[in-house]
Amino acid sequence: MSRVLVTGAGGMLGRDLLAVLSTRPDLKVTAATRAELDITDAEAVHTAVAGHDVVFNTAAWTDVDGAEQNEAAATAVNGDAVAHLARACAATGARLLHVSTDYVFPGDATQPYAEDAPTDPVNAYGRSKLAGERAVARFLPETGYVVRTAWLYGAHGPNFVATMLRLAEQREQLDVVDDQQGQPTWSYALATQLVALADAALAGRAPAGIYHGTCSGRTTWCGLARATFTLAGLDPERVRPTTSDRFPRPAARPAYSVLGHDRWAAAGLPPLPDWRHTLSDAFDSPTPPAPWKVA
């Protein structure tokens, strides 16, 4: 029986990961929420990791604009704490699956970013997450896995899909940016992919390194909002396209966040399906129940 530790277990992805792992009687799972494990505490991390075969790190500083105001605090969680986890895994032989972000890229590409494409973050959040990636590569060159994701939505926690439907109840029309491209990704689908990668890693089939855990295809925030309205039985024409300069934010956002998925073949796994299919699955799935169902 493999022993698994999930950090950030109270978050959107962490909760979906626990749901997927709960279907596996061959795994003994330890769930650690932020209140139960402060990953910035090196000693606590080493104690928590001991005795586990796999560590899923879903704990993170996710406030992008907040990171711009307090980069040191964001880096403590997204960079230094990941180094604590990586060192602890190196000491015990555990495999680490660490979740990162598309924001490590500058967002100026015209073709999907490959897993080995040069990184160049445009904001503090991206820099903090890149520090975490480098820690995994440094301390776990043979047993560390970085899975970059983007545009994540799910049943547990604030996200764009739920926000759009909440605003639909308050406003007749919504203006949504149409000049940022990305890949909406259902957190439950990503959780399933992470578990499959862990299985391949334990079996010696998955080479360590970087994988891109986003859904296939691409769209804009406006496109995602319109697809969300359609699935909810609402008129998608209520969503009007606009540009990013209409919504200035403290942190710059990459204009192009489309990631390539070639490396999954090395692990013998298919990439995640097209974002439209998984969005539809999210609306239809009873497990986990989707709080955004309105029709």
Side-chain angles (χ1 to χ4, degrees):
M1 177 176 288
S2 295
R3 298 155 298 176
V4 175
L5 171 66
V6 179
T7 66
M12 180 169 65
L13 178 58
R15 291 176 67 180
D16 280 353
L17 188 54
L18 292 177
V20 174
L21 292 169
S22 70
T23 67
R24 294 285 300 274
D26 58 318
L27 301 177
K28 182 177 181 180
V29 180
T30 303
T33 65
R34 181 170 59 181
E36 294 164 332
L37 175 61
D38 176 3
I39 63 170
T40 66
D41 183 335
E43 184 175 347
V45 165
H46 278 262
T47 299
V49 168
H52 292 93
D53 302 299
V54 177
V55 177
F56 293 97
N57 181 38
T58 69
W61 176 298
T62 58
D63 181 357
V64 175
D65 290 324
E68 208 67 20
Q69 311 301 325
N70 198 342
E71 186 167 353
T75 303
V77 177
N78 293 341
D80 301 337
V82 179
H84 299 333
L85 284 163
R87 279 192 290 261
C89 287
T92 63
R95 289 163 177 80
L96 174 63
L97 278 77
H98 169 65
V99 179
S100 191
T101 176
D102 61 301
Y103 276 37
V104 298
F105 294 118
D108 57 358
T110 56
Q111 296 294 324
Y113 284 102
E115 290 85 351
D116 60 354
T119 54
D120 186 16
V122 298
N123 57 37
Y125 171 74
R127 290 190 293 271
S128 74
K129 293 295 285 186
L130 183 57
E133 291 192 6
R134 288 172 172 167
V136 175
R138 177 184 176 187
F139 295 110
L140 297 169
E142 302 299 329
T143 54
Y145 299 79
V146 170
V147 181
R148 294 173 179 146
T149 193
W151 292 31
L152 208 61
Y153 64 89
H156 308 295
N159 63 85
F160 181 85
V161 172
T163 296
M164 288 300 100
L165 292 174
R166 175 174 55 80
L167 292 177
E169 297 178 346
Q170 303 170 5
R171 306 176 191 174
E172 180 55 34
Q173 292 185 314
L174 302 179
D175 293 333
V176 181
V177 296
D178 200 37
D179 56 0
Q180 295 177 27
Q181 294 188 58
Q183 297 161 309
T185 301
W186 184 26
S187 58
Y188 191 80
L190 174 59
T192 302
Q193 190 82 344
L194 287 170
V195 174
L197 179 59
D199 285 338
L202 287 170
R205 298 193 307 269
I210 297 171
Y211 294 79
H212 284 166
T214 53
C215 285
S216 303
R218 71 186 72 179
T219 189
T220 65
W221 291 115
C222 181
L224 174 56
R226 286 180 166 175
T228 297
F229 270 43
T230 298
L231 287 169
L234 305 172
D235 181 4
E237 294 303 314
R238 292 173 57 190
V239 179
R240 303 181 303 190
T242 189
T243 54
S244 298
D245 57 10
R246 292 281 307 280
F247 298 95
R249 307 287 291 274
R253 263 62 172 178
Y256 185 87
S257 290
V258 181
L259 306 183
H261 306 111
D262 290 347
R263 200 143 189 273
W264 288 107
L269 296 170
L272 289 170
D274 184 85
W275 69 272
R276 289 185 180 274
H277 295 312
T278 51
L279 182 64
S280 179
D281 288 344
F283 270 77
D284 292 339
S285 175
T287 309
W292 50 72
K293 288 185 178 179
V294 297

